[in-house]
Amino acid sequence: MESPPGPEVWIDGRLYRYFAGTSYYGLHGHPEVIAAGCEGFRKYGFHTATSRAGFGNSAPLLEVERRAAEYSGQEEGFYFSSGYAANHILVQAVEAAAAIFLDEAAHFCVVEAAKIRGLPIHRFHARDPEDLRAKLHAHLPHGGVPLVMSDGLVAATGHLAPLDEYVKLLAEFAPAVLMVDDAHGLGVLGEGGRGSLEHLGLGDAVNGGTPCLGVNILCGRTLGKAMGGFGGIITGHRFFMEKLRHSSNYYDGASAPPTPVAAATAKALELVAGDPSYRERLRRNALHLRQGLRELGLEVHDVPSAHVGVAIGRAGNMQRLHRELRAQGFIVPVTSYVGSGPEGIMRFAVCSGHELEMIDDLLRALRGLL
Ligand SMILES: Cc1ncc(COP(=O)(O)O)c(C=O)c1O
């Protein structure tokens, strides 16, 4: 790649229409984000002084936390080097759980986080509340607190986990905990862009909020997807965040994100929060893409996520489509990433910067190849 991600990118000396993002608002390459990062470099150098608990608290790091908390409608934030670690941090803040119930197609980082708790792990079928119910009845010790772990939006396909149904179901086993990795929901779903939980009407119960039907909801995210920044973020109520910072050792045992990265990320957050048209355009493009794919006879889910995974025949056929689209100047990856099924899927992602004509051009090219 020879340019920032966006609707058009340079790869190996050729300009492509790019449908393979993250960075749904293209902010990695935004001039103000770049300027903020450069200013951070000049002022602080490349890295932080020590861990957060030492002298690692610089203004840009705190700015990310403040802006992320404000964006999420929460009181405080904890910003760390990778969204991958969010679940590792959160899982250590769960006080009493008897067993973990894990979506079988959950992202790698959710699976690894489940393992570090040292509790029995029971996997349920992907996004299947009925199977979750069966597993709860079969394996939860009487009176024990269940911890259910799931993605919000599935990374490969854009499917939304039925988190609202999980909550209703878990109410029968309350008190219970639902932990959600919403890497792909933040900035995209929900009225305020707060993610999958807001989209499903569960936003108020998150990270120290009032439990919903006796279910505590925990949620971690990355700033590296929609937000066009970098690093993991957890936002929540003050008392919860205070506990969270000390229930794992990330705060005092890991380097914070590099300060210039934090400065750029804070600027990206400011831009997304200050301009609702980013999300409006993304939604418009997401719906336009879906409608076009359906008109090609493809089966596409309804979640208004930036990305949508579509199985188009066998793996070999999808590789052919990928190659031929690329030859015509379009990048659409085929992925066998977690949650994509045995043959993999074609993962189409739009960003706010795509013009409708760009999407139409892609659909036209695809029609000629199907
Ligand atoms: C669902 C999910 N969670 C977490 C991550 C990791 O986040 P980060 O890249 O910030 O470490 C990813 C991918 O990057 C992801 O798809």
Side-chain angles (χ1 to χ4, degrees), residues 82-84 107 109 151 155 181 183-184 222 225 231 337:
S82 161
Y84 200 95
H107 190 266
C109 64
D151 292 9
D181 179 322
H184 295 270
T222 174
K225 307 289 179 205
Y337 204 58

Side-chain angles (χ1 to χ4, degrees), residues 196-219:
S196 305
L197 289 157
E198 187 194 19
H199 181 79
L200 293 169
L202 300 168
D204 292 343
V206 173
N207 295 343
T210 311
C212 183
L213 304 175
V215 181
N216 280 301
I217 303 178
L218 306 181
C219 181

Side-chain angles (χ1 to χ4, degrees), residues 349-367:
V350 284
C351 63
S352 60
H354 282 119
E355 299 296 340
L356 293 180
E357 299 74 51
M358 293 176 167
I359 300 172
D360 290 338
D361 288 347
L362 168 70
L363 292 164
R364 202 170 306 112
L366 187 60
R367 182 187 294 278

Side-chain angles (χ1 to χ4, degrees), residues 114-136:
K115 287 181 184 161
I116 64 171
R117 245 337 263 266
L119 292 168
I121 297 176
H122 307 283
R123 292 176 182 244
F124 61 96
H125 297 160
R127 295 178 283 108
D128 183 347
E130 280 317 307
D131 193 49
L132 172 59
R133 177 191 298 280
K135 298 284 160 48
L136 284 162

